[in-house]
Amino acid sequence: MNEGVLRIAIFIMFASLTYTVRHYVWAVVALLVVGLYSLVTGIVQLNRDKDTAENSH
C-alpha cells in the first residue's frame, strides 16, 4: 500500500513542477509522462494490495 501512495505522491510533485517549466515543451511532456506513469502504477498497486488483503481474510 505504501508504494502505491508514494507513486501517487510522485505524480502530484511532477504535476506541480510542470508550471515551473511551462516554457519548455519537452520538459512539460517529460514530466507529464513520468507523472502519469506514477499515477497509473500507483493506482494499480493500491488495487493489487487491496485485492491481496481481501483474499487473505
Side-chain angles (χ1 to χ4, degrees):
M1 180 169 155
N2 289 337
E3 186 177 347
V5 173
L6 176 64
R7 289 181 184 193
I8 293 172
I10 289 171
F11 163 75
I12 293 169
M13 288 187 294
F14 279 131
S16 63
L17 282 175
T18 57
Y19 181 76
T20 342
V21 293
R22 66 187 178 275
H23 298 295
Y24 302 100
V25 175
W26 63 270
V28 171
V29 170
L31 288 173
L32 287 176
V33 166
V34 173
L36 287 175
Y37 173 79
S38 297
L39 178 65
V40 170
T41 56
I43 292 171
V44 168
Q45 186 72 28
L46 285 175
N47 284 337
R48 185 179 301 148
D49 289 345
K50 183 175 140 186
D51 290 341
T52 304
E54 288 175 355
N55 291 335
S56 66
H57 290 117

